[in-house]
Amino acid sequence: MGDLTYILQSNRELAEKITAEARNDPKSPYVGKIVGLANGRVVAITDNWKEVARLVQASEADPNNTYCFEPTADYPEVEEIWRMAECRA
């Protein structure tokens, strides 16, 4: 398994674990938050997308190795973003 495939899988597995925890435990630190992952580890837990983007970019320059999500959000459909927009703080 290539490095990128391993990182993507690690991020996905961790996101699934965090989502399950947040949806099953109302006291979870992830409830109502936006979570940023990089290289299979949590690097940000914030209240807004700009902050999570800033923290994730600070910890990992390659967006292919990152994943941001809202664990308790219930969206009607999945939409993937293939290019990360530049954030200006």
Side-chain angles (χ1 to χ4, degrees):
M1 183 181 317
D3 287 342
L4 181 57
T5 303
Y6 175 77
I7 291 169
L8 291 173
Q9 185 64 31
S10 296
N11 285 343
R12 177 171 285 131
E13 288 173 2
L14 183 54
E16 289 171 358
K17 179 180 175 186
I18 289 170
T19 299
E21 175 186 323
R23 291 182 179 184
N24 293 316
D25 180 4
K27 294 182 181 184
S28 168
Y30 304 111
V31 172
K33 300 293 184 179
I34 301 166
V35 178
L37 307 178
N39 302 309
R41 61 186 175 89
V42 176
V43 295
I45 304 171
T46 70
D47 293 318
N48 67 71
W49 285 102
K50 283 187 179 184
E51 182 68 6
V52 80
R54 185 186 69 75
L55 292 168
V56 167
Q57 288 175 338
S59 66
E60 174 54 63
D62 185 353
N64 290 314
N65 298 335
T66 65
Y67 186 69
C68 301
F69 65 107
E70 293 178 87
T72 53
D74 188 17
Y75 297 110
E77 62 186 61
V78 174
E79 293 190 31
E80 294 187 31
I81 300 170
W82 288 92
R83 190 178 105 157
M84 186 163 63
E86 181 179 331
C87 293
R88 297 176 192 207

